[in-house]
Amino acid sequence: MTDFHIQHGNEVAEALRDGRPVVALESTIVSHGLPRPDNLRVARQIEQAVRDAGAVPATIGMVGGRLAVGLDDAELTRLATADGVAKLSVRDLAVAAAAGADGATTVAATSAVAAAAGIRVFATGGLGGVHREAAQSFDESADLTTLARTPIAVVCAGVKSILDVGATLERMETLGVGVVGYRTRRFPGFFVTDGGFDLDWSVDSPEQVAAVLAARAAHDLHDGALVVANPLPVDEQLDRDLHDRTLADGLALLDRDGVTGKAVTPYLLAHFHSATEGASLAVNVRIILRNADLAARIAVAAAGTVAG
Ligand code: PSU
Ligand code: MN
């Protein structure tokens, strides 16, 4: 019988055993969210940003059916460069494992695996959410329903305006997913600093996020995630006109090409990267590196204060 248990990289296993800070990282961003060949370089930079801030990176993904927490460099390279790497949400994990597949984990799958491994902080770029026209298509990312039952802090730059941002925030409220702005009361729009909606709460330091996690664990009332929304500084955001134009074109192309389902998000991301001739990629990379840094500082703060 094949052993389907989740595997841990050596460094991650030791850090978890010793109670040292660990930050989970997703692989869909690498395989499907960023263009090649930059994706592998950026994947390594993200891990380095976590290390530089004093935590151990645990990139999560599936190689040959083996689900791993803490991919080594050869595995990371394979998921960044191989053809046919599947995009895995939570429901796909068992099917892909049984098929012996290579797969990249989404925010949903990464959160679920990380929480099961005892990791409390996860850094990504943007969350999946409610798609525009979801009222007809029912296209809502399983990121949201998974975060509703997964106790982890997710550091992100909000959601991209390829989604219905307002509906995504409403669904997070309904589902019991906590949201705090990092030094802001406005929900960020990924490429742009301000996504157009207010937030009820903000925090100012990694220690404050650690305190939220400690209170949540002590109350033990629910298993929902905490989204820590970390906006880009205004002077680093994508030019707003370029952003709005690219978005309008991307949505029109989606319609023209009849793209649906799990292909929608990667299609729109690829459109942004090619249509802005690298400008959105540079912004995207800065976002991820900033989030990795903040997540690591939160993990360091949490390792000092939280037991559960
Ligand atoms: N949003 C981004 N970049 C990404 C993704 C979302 O700005 O790379 C990826 C994440 O892995 C997220 C997934 O979990 O897309 C959501 O896909 P879907 O909408 O099919 O659930
Ligand atoms: Mn979808």
Side-chain angles (χ1 to χ4, degrees), residues 31 33 110 133 135 138 176-177 197 209-210 225 228 244-245 255 257-258 281:
S31 303
T110 305
E133 300 178 6
F138 277 71
V177 177
F197 293 85
V209 181
V228 180
D244 294 350
R245 227 170 31 241
D255 201 36
D257 293 348
L281 176 61

Side-chain angles (χ1 to χ4, degrees), residues 2-4 61-67 75 78-79 96-103:
T2 314
D3 180 2
F4 287 126
M62 184 177 286
V63 176
R66 180 178 160 278
L67 186 55
E75 293 168 330
R78 178 157 153 182
L79 292 189
D102 285 351

Side-chain angles (χ1 to χ4, degrees), residues 179-187 198-205 208-209 212 226-229 231:
V179 187
V180 294
Y182 190 73
R183 300 185 173 162
T184 182
R185 287 281 181 107
R186 296 284 284 177
F187 190 61
D198 286 327
L199 293 173
D200 291 338
W201 300 97
S202 74
V203 290
D204 293 327
S205 67
Q208 279 182 25
V209 181
V212 175
L226 178 72
V227 170
V228 180

Side-chain angles (χ1 to χ4, degrees), residues 168-253:
T168 300
L169 283 166
E170 291 293 346
R171 287 291 289 152
M172 288 200 281
E173 179 180 357
T174 303
L175 291 165
V177 177
V179 187
V180 294
Y182 190 73
R183 300 185 173 162
T184 182
R185 287 281 181 107
R186 296 284 284 177
F187 190 61
F190 195 83
F191 289 129
V192 292
T193 304
D194 185 339
F197 293 85
D198 286 327
L199 293 173
D200 291 338
W201 300 97
S202 74
V203 290
D204 293 327
S205 67
E207 289 72 23
Q208 279 182 25
V209 181
V212 175
L213 299 182
R216 221 191 52 89
H219 293 163
D220 196 20
L221 290 172
H222 76 114
D223 284 331
L226 178 72
V227 170
V228 180
N230 185 29
L232 267 182
V234 175
D235 60 353
E236 291 186 26
Q237 70 180 343
L238 192 63
D239 178 79
R240 285 225 67 139
D241 289 339
L242 177 61
H243 171 270
D244 294 350
R245 227 170 31 241
T246 308
L247 176 63
D249 292 348
L251 294 171
L253 285 171

